[in-house]
Amino acid sequence: METKMAGEGQKSKGWFWWVLVTVIAVLVIVAVALTILKDFHSKAAKVHHSPVEQKYADALGIAMQFFDVQKSGQLVNNRISWRGDSGLMDGSGEGLDLSKGMYDAGDSMKFSFPMAFTATMLSWAILEYGDQMDAVKQLRNAQDSLKWITDYLINAHPSPNVLYIQVGDPDLDHECWQRPESMTLQRPLTQVNTSYPGTEVAAETAAAMASASLVFKKINSTYSSLLLMHAQQLFAFADTYRGSYSVTAPSEQRFYNSSGYGDELLWAASWLYLASADRSYLRYATIDHGQEFGNWRRPTWISWNNKLPGVQVLLSRVDFFGASEVPITENLALQMYRETAEMMMCSLLPDSPTATSSRTESGLIWVTEWNSLLHPVGSAFLAILYSDYMLTSGTEALFCSERSYTPGNLRDFAISQVDYVLGENPMKLSYLVGFGENYPQYVHHRGSSIPADATTGCKDGFKWLNSSAPNPNVAVGALVGGPFRNETYSDSRNNSMQGEPSTYNSALLVGVLSGLVTSSSVANSFL
Ligand SMILES: *[C@@H]1O[C@H](CO)[C@@H](O)[C@H](O)[C@H]1NC(C)=O
Ligand SMILES: *[C@@H]1O[C@H](CO)[C@@H](O)[C@H](O)[C@H]1NC(C)=O
Ligand SMILES: *[C@@H]1O[C@H](CO)[C@@H](O)[C@H](O)[C@H]1NC(C)=O
Ligand SMILES: *[C@@H]1O[C@H](CO)[C@@H](O)[C@H](O)[C@H]1NC(C)=O
Ligand SMILES: *[C@@H]1O[C@H](CO)[C@@H](O)[C@H](O)[C@H]1NC(C)=O
Ligand SMILES: *[C@@H]1O[C@H](CO)[C@@H](O)[C@H](O)[C@H]1NC(C)=O
């Protein structure tokens, strides 16, 4: 009885407790769900609605379109109303399909050296910030643009020791002012081979293909392996048959002159190590040739000609995230790269004791009169990468002569350069065409300057260069050359020094904008 009562009592008490527990549980679940939802909304707001980040997302969507503006070949899903098919017969004289790829700048030349650099930088941006690109619906565009270049590079490499590096004759090309769609000129090809080598162009092409093989690994493993195979062959070709392509093809000297190939060899080896996990490439870039080509402890400026700052930051990445897998001797060389990368970061930070004086009065990194935005935008991309490597690895401080800086300081530097480009400058001008209210109207770009329905020959097309009316077509996403050191800009169509955009400028801008879209951490490994 007692037991029964107790049992009943327990039963009825148990019932009460169950109801109470259930009610509490439901309340807790609702509360947690509300918190998560709220958190989700504020995160979503951070990505999509916060004014500052929306600005970078908008700028990224615009910058990405410049790759579509520059495409050669039979266009697919063309987003640029005034562009059409062009260069369809490129390569056909030699039995090759070199119709794809991108025009480098305002003309109709296809130069592989800067085109491959564009692809390498775009790959790097996708590998680090693909998630952020995806969050603002730009990942597919980035992958498509990258593949447009790598498809061309694959076809330009018909046998292990032959690489076609140029389509078109720059002297003839510059005598005409025509849209690529109405080109009538011969399109001669230039190749490098064992008797006329081109180490830097072959190595940069190897870097582009190795980095792209990582991008496409999960998308199409056949394509990814194909890229890796080409990259390995090209690296062997570049390294075995050493010689500068500027010597082989002297006409390049007036356009994309190379000051040496050591940087491209290290750059290609570094990307090949990441893409293949083959230690011999790491050995190449560190103990075998690091001392010889690495220019350790002497920071320089990133450009289509100088990849050393890229090597320093990329191999710092290996040091930040993968050092435990690296043998001690290689590791010592990685330290030298990282030390040099940090010296570079210290020179970029505006109030560091070792800050560079290559800056305009309002703080834009400024190194050269021609295409002045190349260096600030490239440096900003490297700074945001370094900042995120520090953040992700839990590295709190960077020391510049005893003063310490945080990842946030590097991010602020990157933001300062990007904000300048987007209009916070004395001219109140956005140097990114299509962004904001006030951007250049006379960009030095043939397709942009000639109405899509005009019929022009080679010479009479110059009337469109001479015209005083603004460009009829917006070269959306073009990042023009940029301001003078005194922060002035002359918006005039024949001002190619300041007003000519390029695909590599856009790739660097896309990289830094992708890093700024949301606050970031990066993956420890690309694999
Ligand atoms: C090797 O390249 C040079 C320079 O482009 C070219 O003149 C030469 O014809 C090429 N050699 C062969 C065998 O095609
Ligand atoms: C994957 O890449 C290979 C090699 O380029 C190509 O033949 C194939 O069609 C691609 N597959 C898909 C699903 O796109
Ligand atoms: C191209 O670069 C090489 C190596 O730095 C240099 O010797 C040559 O003078 C340069 N050519 C031009 C036209 O600037
Ligand atoms: C464009 O201007 C240049 C320089 O003033 C002149 O030589 C040329 O004839 C002009 N061309 C056309 C097609 O108007
Ligand atoms: C700014 O610099 C450019 C190039 O050095 C020069 O031509 C121009 O006159 C300068 N403008 C002013 C306002 O100082
Ligand atoms: C454009 O500039 C180039 C060199 O800067 C010059 O040779 C050419 O005559 C100029 N053309 C016109 C139309 O002003």
Side-chain angles (χ1 to χ4, degrees):
M1 183 81 178
E2 187 61 43
T3 317
K4 196 184 168 197
M5 284 299 288
E8 272 180 5
Q10 271 174 9
K11 232 184 192 171
S12 60
K13 261 190 201 153
W15 176 84
F16 172 77
W17 284 115
W18 274 116
V19 169
L20 193 63
V21 165
T22 310
V23 166
I24 289 172
V26 166
L27 285 176
V28 166
I29 287 168
V30 167
V32 167
L34 279 175
T35 315
I36 288 173
L37 265 170
K38 194 165 154 245
D39 197 41
F40 175 78
H41 275 297
S42 69
K43 271 198 186 122
K46 226 172 153 191
V47 179
H48 298 294
H49 304 296
S50 141
V52 178
E53 285 157 2
Q54 188 58 46
K55 166 171 135 185
Y56 302 132
D58 290 346
L60 178 62
I62 288 167
M64 199 72 84
Q65 292 181 59
F66 192 59
F67 300 122
D68 294 306
V69 168
Q70 296 304 95
K71 278 178 182 168
S72 165
Q74 187 173 2
L75 303 182
V76 180
N77 300 328
N78 176 26
R79 300 195 286 162
I80 308 297
S81 62
W82 49 273
R83 280 304 322 275
D85 298 347
S86 64
L88 295 179
M89 301 305 284
D90 284 357
S92 59
E94 312 265 343
L96 302 169
D97 177 4
L98 299 181
S99 60
K100 283 189 174 180
M102 290 179 195
Y103 305 115
D104 67 307
D107 54 20
S108 309
M109 287 297 299
K110 289 193 279 198
F111 293 109
S112 293
F113 190 46
M115 201 199 305
F117 174 67
T118 300
T120 313
M121 287 313 210
L122 190 53
S123 293
W124 199 0
I126 295 171
L127 290 168
E128 304 281 8
Y129 299 123
D131 288 351
Q132 276 104 305
M133 289 180 179
D134 201 21
V136 293
K137 301 193 165 48
Q138 291 302 325
L139 181 58
R140 270 297 295 274
N141 291 329
Q143 290 163 343
D144 289 352
S145 292
L146 175 61
K147 187 162 184 291
W148 203 264
I149 299 180
T150 50
D151 283 351
Y152 164 89
L153 295 176
I154 288 172
N155 289 354
H157 184 222
S159 66
N161 295 339
V162 173
L163 177 68
Y164 287 87
I165 58 158
Q166 184 178 300
V167 181
D169 174 329
D171 292 318
L172 288 180
D173 187 84
H174 287 106
E175 280 172 22
C176 299
W177 191 266
Q178 277 179 301
R179 307 172 68 230
E181 288 82 352
S182 44
M183 266 186 307
T184 46
L185 286 169
Q186 291 292 313
R187 302 275 287 166
L189 307 183
T190 307
Q191 64 163 247
V192 292
N193 50 47
T194 55
S195 18
Y196 290 86
T199 295
E200 56 285 85
V201 64
E204 182 62 61
T205 306
M209 289 170 140
S211 57
S213 81
L214 284 164
V215 170
F216 292 108
K217 201 162 193 135
K218 291 199 185 98
I219 302 169
N220 181 338
S221 62
T222 314
Y223 191 66
S224 169
S225 310
L226 183 68
L227 285 169
L228 184 57
M229 183 205 76
H230 280 283
Q232 287 169 323
Q233 287 179 352
L234 278 168
F235 180 75
F237 168 50
D239 188 37
T240 311
Y241 299 94
R242 296 229 190 133
S244 170
Y245 95 121
S246 295
V247 175
T248 296
S251 74
E252 297 272 352
Q253 289 194 18
R254 281 171 295 121
F255 304 97
Y256 293 102
N257 193 27
S258 164
S259 55
Y261 50 67
D263 54 331
E264 281 84 12
L265 285 170
L266 297 174
W267 180 231
S270 304
W271 279 112
L272 275 161
Y273 167 62
L274 292 170
S276 68
D278 178 342
R279 286 267 184 80
S280 67
Y281 292 117
L282 181 64
R283 204 185 149 86
Y284 185 101
T286 55
I287 37 187
D288 289 351
H289 298 285
Q291 182 90 42
E292 182 183 358
F293 296 134
N295 219 357
W296 289 335
R297 300 188 51 76
R298 278 194 295 267
T300 48
W301 299 104
I302 181 86
S303 77
W304 50 262
N305 182 20
N306 181 18
K307 322 300 154 57
L308 283 180
V311 177
Q312 288 145 15
V313 171
L314 190 63
L315 291 182
S316 294
R317 176 185 230 291
V318 175
D319 191 51
F320 273 114
F321 303 124
S324 59
E325 293 145 37
V326 172
I328 188 81
T329 40
E330 277 89 333
N331 214 321
L332 285 172
L334 288 185
Q335 297 307 316
M336 296 308 295
Y337 282 111
R338 183 159 164 186
E339 208 177 312
T340 316
E342 296 198 345
M343 289 171 77
M344 178 194 356
M345 296 303 144
C346 288
S347 85
L348 298 177
L349 288 164
D351 65 347
S352 111
T354 52
T356 176
S357 58
S358 301
R359 250 179 259 266
T360 65
E361 203 179 312
S362 46
L364 181 75
I365 293 292
W366 197 96
V367 181
T368 53
E369 211 163 39
W370 279 90
N371 195 14
S372 64
L373 289 176
L374 174 66
H375 303 99
V377 172
S379 302
F381 181 39
L382 295 180
I384 197 79
L385 289 170
Y386 209 85
S387 165
D388 287 333
Y389 296 166
M390 289 177 68
L391 207 63
T392 304
S393 64
T395 308
E396 277 164 26
L398 162 73
F399 289 92
C400 304
S401 307
E402 323 271 296
R403 274 181 69 179
S404 88
Y405 293 88
T406 62
N409 295 135
L410 283 173
R411 194 175 183 88
D412 288 345
F413 163 75
I415 288 173
S416 73
Q417 304 302 294
V418 168
D419 285 351
Y420 188 109
V421 166
L422 298 181
E424 287 177 31
N425 56 58
M427 298 286 289
K428 302 275 176 268
L429 180 71
S430 160
Y431 290 99
L432 175 63
V433 174
F435 183 86
E437 300 294 315
N438 185 24
Y439 51 81
Q441 303 293 316
Y442 293 84
V443 175
H444 183 88
H445 190 280
R446 294 180 198 172
S448 168
S449 72
I450 304 174
D453 58 0
T455 39
T456 52
C458 164
K459 293 282 180 207
D460 60 347
F462 277 104
K463 73 174 180 224
W464 300 107
L465 174 65
N466 293 358
S467 154
S468 60
N471 286 2
N473 308 312
V474 179
V476 58
L479 177 64
V480 296
F484 284 130
R485 183 162 194 150
N486 59 20
E487 314 200 67
T488 65
Y489 179 83
S490 158
D491 189 12
S492 145
R493 197 174 288 118
N494 200 32
N495 179 7
S496 47
M497 180 189 272
Q498 293 189 284
E500 186 166 13
S502 63
T503 51
Y504 36 94
N505 276 15
S506 292
L508 294 164
L509 182 63
V510 157
V512 60
L513 286 171
S514 303
L516 292 177
V517 162
T518 67
S519 55
S520 2
S521 63
V522 291
N524 286 1
S525 163
F526 294 147
L527 290 170

